[in-house]
Amino acid sequence: MDIKSMKNYLYWLYCQFELITCSYLMEPWEKLLFYTFNITMLIMVLYTAYVFVPVHISMAFQFFLQLFGNQHENTVSVVK
Amino acid sequence: MERPEPAAAALGAQPRANGCSGAAHGALRNGYVRGLPAPDTQINHIVHNGGLYKRPFNEAFEETPMLVAVLTYVGYGVLTLFGYLRDFMRQWKIEKCQNATEREEQKDFVPLYQDFENFYTRNLYMRIRDSWNRPICSVPGAKVDMMERVSHDYNWTFKYTGRVIKDIINMGSYNYLGFAQNAGTCQEAAAKVLSQYGAGVCSTRQEMGNLDKHEELEKLVARFLGVESAMAYGMGFATNSMNIPALVGKGCLILSDELNHASLVLGARLSGATIRIFKHNNMQSLEKLLKDAIVHGQPRTRRPWKKILILVEGVYSMEGSIVRLPEVIALKKKYKSYLYLDEAHSIGALGPSGRGVVEYFGLNPEDVDVMMGTFTKSFGAAGGYIGGKKELIDYLRTYSHSAVYATSLSPPVVEQIITSMKCIMGEDGTTVGKARVQQLAENTRYFRRRLKEMGFIIYGNEDSPVVPLMLYMPAKIGAFGREMLKRNIGVVVVGFPATPIIESRARFCLSAAHTKEMLDMALKVIDEVGDLLQLKYSRHRLVPLLDRPFDETTYEETED
């Protein structure tokens, strides 16, 4: 029963997507074109995120670590 | 009637003139003010406008939610892109072009068909065209039969399957008092007159087409409205477009509401007078235009205007709003101008005994100079009328284009109007008319209340029988029409260019012929379709309408 209601909910979400982007009104070949374009864009965005986001996060982390690292040394010298 | 005095401290807050709230409060469209206490209480205008209104005036136009507006534009953007793609394909003959083009021999001539202007028609309207021009095959009463059609080439051509869909609940016909019937007293009287006079008149009013039935009708209409005299014409649209040119001409000024019907706009343009537009139902805008007109006169010569005519409608059919007639009449008297009131949708539908918007507000019919209306909506017939002083109507009998050139009303139609009008007035000896008017008022209140409770955005006044339900997105226009028809309810959906581009809507017209069971069934289906298509946009920030603050920089002037 849960699977069925989940499937219904997903189908309803797909219908909302169709209505909002007007693919409900398109002929089948137009829909194919539209979905191909969208899914291609989506895959490219996800792939870019997969490749670049960890590198960017670690660079940002290192930058902030350096910043706090310097501060720590300064305070230590002042106290001394 | 005295002019509206500025009301001080009406709400117990800081003093405001004419019930306006200052722009500093962040007023939204049409006077919506954020953050007022208890948004679901009524604020009576009785105190605000110096006692002009005898009853509360509840009009509401909820603002479009930002996300919905953005998504609507996204939808239109996608459709535009695909429109360009399809036009490209048609141009390069990859796809067959199915709309009108010139013949091969004429390709080098001046183009006959404007290709780009029909962009919207070709690329959006055609996709959802099956919601319009549906052929019905029975009388358009509370339930109607419809012929089923299918299209195999995406709405460019239709074929009839031969099946008739029976008993569709009709929420689209202008059948306010339920007089669209094929049985009953009206039909019998019309049949008798048909066998006596025939169907055609074969002449104009001025020549041989003036029947005794027409004289009887006009006396009855004058008595119904409470005016001195009236004249009836064969077509409602032609009543407006052919009579306004007879009343005003060059050197006159027409002040017309922003959302006036095409017949009023056409009549105003044909007359050759200068036209200025005031914001919809906004009395401050109208007053400013009147003041400017009186102070500055005609544009170059500074001479005073020969006549100033204010064109308003009783009930605006796209918005469901009711004109602020007490204030308009007060302004008209103060600035000595004339008022032309088009009661196409409000005659028979408003007022305790169905006499229209003048009775609804409890005003004197003699204050309105030209009362125009149609017989199409509440009387189940066709045609229009103009009522007013005897001199005015005698003048129109001679100088109106409709009287001179248009064929007069057909006799069975005249009899239908006479019988239904007598029924509404109670002169046929029964209380059927009164019961119908009351039933319509009850249906209106019930239907509007239930739709608002469900969470839809509904425009307009609480008492207007025209109920616009906002759809916004273009795909939902087609989807709503189709889904409702699948569930046996017939509705009218409206999009651009009849409405602004993002504000497409479904327009329900209530009828006295709708029983409570029919309304409940319709409401259940609307609820279901609303959940399916996610149309319940209302965020319940419903604030009763205040007089909107007038912004000096926002009104426009058009000189024709």
Side-chain angles (χ1 to χ4, degrees):
Chain A
M1 214 55 218
D2 199 33
I3 302 287
K4 190 166 165 35
S5 65
M6 181 58 90
K7 273 200 329 197
N8 279 344
Y9 180 65
L10 286 175
Y11 181 67
W12 179 82
L13 270 182
Y14 169 67
C15 283
Q16 297 311 305
F17 171 78
E18 267 202 330
L19 283 172
I20 290 175
T21 56
C22 297
S23 45
Y24 173 85
L25 302 175
M26 293 180 194
E27 299 174 27
W29 63 269
E30 287 174 332
K31 262 194 208 173
L32 188 68
L33 204 65
F34 185 63
Y35 288 162
T36 313
F37 176 75
N38 276 0
I39 291 177
T40 314
M41 284 287 138
L42 193 68
I43 289 178
M44 288 205 287
V45 165
L46 287 175
Y47 181 69
T48 314
Y50 172 72
V51 167
F52 284 106
V53 164
V55 178
H56 282 314
I57 287 183
S58 66
M59 279 195 337
F61 185 64
Q62 271 182 355
F63 173 72
F64 281 118
L65 202 62
Q66 230 179 23
L67 198 68
F68 287 132
N70 280 342
Q71 239 184 24
H72 182 66
E73 276 177 13
N74 284 340
T75 52
V76 163
S77 58
V78 163
V79 161
K80 267 207 178 134
Chain B
M1 214 177 267
E2 54 187 324
R3 69 186 192 91
E5 303 276 17
L11 284 171
Q14 56 269 45
R16 300 167 185 170
N18 263 12
C20 295
S21 60
H25 284 254
L28 307 176
R29 183 182 162 197
N30 265 7
Y32 263 69
V33 179
R34 276 186 247 264
L36 269 188
D40 47 356
T41 56
Q42 284 177 3
I43 298 184
N44 283 342
H45 285 248
I46 294 177
V47 186
H48 280 234
N49 284 306
L52 280 178
Y53 287 88
K54 302 184 179 77
R55 56 194 294 167
F57 188 83
N58 298 324
E59 205 160 86
F61 298 92
E62 189 171 336
E63 197 187 333
T64 311
M66 176 62 82
L67 181 64
V68 173
V70 167
L71 292 176
T72 311
Y73 282 122
V74 163
Y76 275 110
V78 169
L79 278 174
T80 313
L81 284 173
F82 275 93
Y84 281 128
L85 175 69
R86 298 292 294 268
D87 274 351
F88 175 78
M89 286 170 53
R90 282 189 204 112
Q91 170 92 1
W92 285 92
K93 306 280 195 297
I94 306 175
E95 183 193 358
K96 186 169 83 117
C97 184
Q98 280 163 319
N99 49 325
T101 45
E102 300 103 327
R103 294 187 303 181
E104 275 305 314
E105 305 89 66
Q106 292 173 329
K107 284 279 187 213
D108 294 325
F109 296 0
V110 171
L112 199 57
Y113 302 102
Q114 300 285 51
D115 272 348
F116 190 72
E117 274 183 17
N118 296 329
F119 182 82
Y120 173 83
T121 313
R122 277 197 306 276
N123 295 312
L124 174 61
Y125 176 71
M126 281 299 170
R127 292 182 197 264
I128 50 179
R129 197 161 80 123
D130 57 314
S131 297
W132 291 288
N133 295 342
R134 289 180 183 153
I136 62 175
C137 50
S138 76
V139 66
K143 291 203 171 175
V144 71
D145 300 336
M146 206 179 277
M147 300 195 59
E148 197 185 22
R149 320 182 274 184
V150 287
S151 172
H152 298 292
D153 53 356
Y154 301 100
N155 293 347
W156 286 94
T157 57
F158 290 102
K159 283 196 181 40
Y160 295 109
T161 58
R163 196 171 82 93
V164 171
I165 314 175
K166 291 213 163 283
D167 288 337
I168 298 178
I169 297 181
N170 186 0
M171 307 288 303
S173 289
Y174 305 129
N175 183 20
Y176 298 130
L177 292 178
F179 280 112
Q181 294 166 311
N182 56 356
T185 42
C186 294
Q187 180 265 340
E188 283 160 21
K192 208 157 76 79
V193 165
L194 180 65
S195 57
Q196 191 185 349
Y197 287 86
V201 184
C202 307
S203 187
T204 66
R205 282 302 288 278
Q206 273 202 353
E207 295 168 8
M208 288 281 279
N210 192 15
L211 307 175
D212 56 345
K213 279 276 164 218
H214 292 129
E215 305 275 329
E216 189 189 331
L217 171 66
E218 288 172 359
K219 287 200 186 65
L220 184 64
V221 169
R223 216 152 38 88
F224 181 70
L225 298 171
V227 292
E228 280 180 26
S229 176
M231 181 165 179
Y233 303 92
M235 182 177 161
F237 188 100
T239 311
N240 272 335
S241 49
M242 299 291 118
N243 284 309
I244 297 179
L247 295 173
V248 290
K250 255 173 116 49
C252 303
L253 177 66
I254 291 183
L255 298 175
S256 151
D257 189 290
E258 205 177 13
L259 299 175
N260 267 340
H261 190 250
S263 56
L264 290 164
V265 173
L266 184 63
R269 288 184 187 168
L270 278 176
S271 67
T274 310
I275 307 177
R276 297 203 179 142
I277 316 270
F278 62 93
K279 298 219 172 288
H280 177 59
N281 236 357
N282 186 337
M283 296 299 116
Q284 285 83 358
S285 171
L286 178 59
E287 181 160 19
K288 181 161 203 312
L289 285 181
L290 278 166
K291 273 190 192 153
D292 280 349
I294 306 268
V295 164
H296 297 300
Q298 297 191 29
R300 272 174 302 112
T301 57
R302 300 295 198 197
R303 285 198 210 130
W305 295 101
K306 284 198 214 150
K307 252 179 269 192
I308 302 180
L309 185 67
I310 305 174
L311 293 182
V312 287
E313 288 187 41
V315 167
Y316 291 90
S317 62
M318 276 304 152
E319 306 277 310
S321 52
I322 298 181
V323 67
R324 293 172 181 273
L325 199 58
E327 295 178 63
V328 174
I329 289 186
L331 279 174
K332 161 198 112 96
K333 285 185 178 169
K334 177 178 175 185
Y335 292 99
K336 297 198 178 39
S337 50
Y338 298 101
L339 179 60
Y340 185 107
L341 178 66
D342 177 348
E343 286 205 90
H345 286 269
S346 55
I347 191 77
L350 286 182
S353 66
R355 313 251 166 155
V357 71
V358 174
E359 198 201 11
Y360 175 74
F361 285 112
L363 299 166
N364 187 356
E366 286 180 17
D367 286 336
V368 180
D369 301 291
V370 189
M371 285 183 74
M372 178 264 171
T374 60
F375 300 120
T376 328
K377 281 89 184 181
S378 299
F379 301 98
Y385 65 84
I386 290 200
K389 295 251 177 313
K390 189 165 180 319
E391 296 86 32
L392 171 74
I393 302 297
D394 286 344
Y395 176 84
L396 282 178
R397 279 188 216 279
T398 329
Y399 287 97
S400 158
H401 293 292
S402 254
V404 181
Y405 297 108
T407 316
S408 36
L409 281 159
S410 178
V413 172
V414 174
E415 187 59 29
Q416 159 81 17
I417 304 169
I418 291 177
T419 320
S420 56
M421 206 175 262
K422 284 194 174 145
C423 181
I424 298 174
M425 296 205 284
E427 284 181 10
D428 58 343
T430 64
T431 51
V432 167
K434 199 152 175 63
R436 284 185 194 221
V437 175
Q438 279 169 351
Q439 177 72 31
L440 176 66
E442 262 177 49
N443 283 356
T444 307
R445 277 193 294 267
Y446 177 66
F447 197 73
R448 275 179 171 267
R449 185 175 56 84
R450 283 289 303 274
L451 281 180
K452 285 212 178 101
E453 281 169 12
M454 284 181 197
F456 294 101
I457 296 187
I458 307 287
Y459 272 12
N461 197 304
E462 289 287 316
D463 291 317
S464 95
V466 177
V467 186
L469 187 147
M470 303 308 288
L471 299 172
Y472 298 115
M473 298 180 199
K476 295 192 185 180
I477 307 174
F480 191 77
R482 286 175 205 159
E483 294 294 321
M484 293 298 277
L485 188 60
K486 265 192 228 165
R487 294 166 175 78
N488 253 19
I489 313 264
V491 294
V492 168
V493 287
V494 207
F496 182 81
T499 63
I501 188 123
I502 55 167
E503 290 170 19
S504 53
R505 57 200 76 175
R507 191 183 63 179
F508 299 106
C509 290
L510 294 164
S511 168
H514 286 137
T515 59
K516 193 154 184 299
E517 290 76 34
M518 282 188 220
L519 287 185
D520 283 335
M521 162 69 108
L523 283 163
K524 191 165 74 78
V525 167
I526 295 171
D527 197 10
E528 202 185 310
V529 174
D531 279 331
L532 181 67
L533 301 179
Q534 221 192 10
L535 292 171
K536 299 189 178 176
Y537 302 119
S538 176
R539 288 175 289 179
H540 288 289
R541 284 195 307 165
L542 203 60
V543 179
L545 184 72
L546 294 182
D547 292 314
R548 77 181 259 198
F550 182 61
D551 186 358
E552 292 254 345
T553 57
T554 55
Y555 93 99
E556 301 127 316
E557 200 176 273
T558 49
E559 305 237 33
D560 270 336

